[in-house]
Amino acid sequence: YGKSHILADVSDLAAALEGVARPPDGRALDVATGGGHTAVWLAEQGWNVTASDLSPAMLERAAELAVSKGVSLETTLHEAERLPYADGTFGIVSCRVAAHHFSNPPAFVSEVARVLCPGGLFLLIDGSVPDGDPVAAEWIHKVEKFRDPSHGRFLAPGEWSSLCQDAGLEILKCGTTPFKQPDLTWYFETAGTTEANRNAVMNLIRSAPEQAVKAFGLAEEEGRIVWWWPRLSLVARRS
């Protein structure tokens, strides 16, 4: 999750918020901040940022990145489904490439809506699955669970939209773009995947159903297995 990590490229954040009016409240919360790339980007845009995570080590990384970038942020340790803040605290709540680890997405979205001020924004970027394609969704769920047991589940755009609307948030943007993943070896090494689980993933790739091959662009390039995430970008506003 350091400077050279794939998440260090924050161009997706600028693209997601392009054309969206900025709330008057300048306080921001980045949930499951990881290495802090999103939190630091928000600070660079002038937000007063709180970066949160379940891992003290990740919060240390985020703080170190902020110092190296010449910005400041506050770090807090807590889970995504229970946000220890008063109602209406933040102008924006972000969560980038982390929500697929959460055990209770409805509770997370409900908490986000609660801590947003009127007119506040929820920015979610994450891997996703196609709407109405349960076969592809189940295949990638098995792959990700073997690769990284902390994986929960990717939700389709329609599922995230419904959760936001149920929590009283207005959808401003919701769509996916193909995002090419590094080769499988990088993926294994990043997650510290065990040899047994690597073999299980390889078996799933060899037997991948047509729906999964099509949905994720599963292919081999110069001896490397590659695929494409449908990367979800969702922006919602508390009315």
Side-chain angles (χ1 to χ4, degrees):
Y1 291 95
K3 294 179 181 179
S4 62
H5 192 271
I6 190 171
L7 296 181
D9 179 358
V10 292
S11 58
D12 54 336
L13 295 169
L17 292 176
E18 184 177 3
V20 177
R22 178 167 172 161
D25 192 306
R27 290 168 292 181
L29 170 66
D30 186 39
V31 178
T33 196
H37 302 291
T38 301
V40 166
W41 182 84
L42 288 168
E44 290 174 336
Q45 311 311 305
W47 292 91
N48 181 7
V49 182
T50 298
S52 70
D53 206 281
L54 266 180
S55 166
M58 289 293 93
L59 293 177
E60 290 176 9
R61 291 281 187 90
E64 291 168 359
L65 180 63
V67 170
S68 73
K69 294 286 188 175
V71 298
S72 62
L73 50 81
E74 179 184 356
T75 60
T76 59
L77 185 73
H78 60 73
E79 58 187 320
E81 294 88 351
R82 295 182 182 178
L83 304 182
Y85 311 104
D87 296 0
T89 299
F90 298 102
I92 187 169
V93 176
S94 60
C95 183
R96 179 170 175 252
V97 194
H100 57 277
H101 292 289
F102 297 168
S103 61
N104 192 338
F108 163 61
V109 175
S110 178
E111 279 289 88
V112 168
R114 181 183 64 78
V115 302
L116 280 173
C117 67
L121 299 174
F122 173 37
L123 170 60
L124 174 72
I125 295 176
D126 201 13
S128 188
V129 292
D131 281 305
D133 193 342
V135 173
E138 187 60 25
W139 180 85
I140 196 67
H141 171 66
K142 291 178 179 177
V143 167
E144 290 291 336
K145 200 69 175 175
F146 277 122
R147 186 189 69 85
D148 180 1
S150 73
H151 176 79
R153 185 175 289 275
F154 290 130
L155 299 186
E159 293 176 287
W160 280 117
S161 294
S162 294
L163 291 179
C164 288
Q165 291 164 348
D166 289 346
L169 300 176
E170 175 193 3
I171 303 297
L172 303 181
K173 294 183 177 181
C174 183
T176 61
T177 54
F179 180 66
K180 191 174 185 179
Q181 296 298 298
D183 67 88
L184 194 59
T185 299
W186 178 91
Y187 231 48
F188 285 153
E189 291 175 351
T190 299
T193 309
T194 65
E195 190 65 29
N197 282 17
R198 293 185 187 206
N199 292 333
V201 170
M202 292 304 301
N203 288 334
L204 285 167
I205 288 172
R206 295 187 190 101
S207 61
E210 182 179 348
Q211 295 96 319
V213 173
K214 181 179 179 181
F216 304 111
L218 188 62
E220 186 172 327
E221 295 180 357
E222 299 178 350
R224 298 179 303 143
I225 295 170
V226 298
W227 70 98
W228 299 72
W229 260 12
R231 183 170 62 182
L232 172 74
S233 292
L234 180 149
V235 181
R237 188 187 304 278
R238 180 182 171 189
S239 55

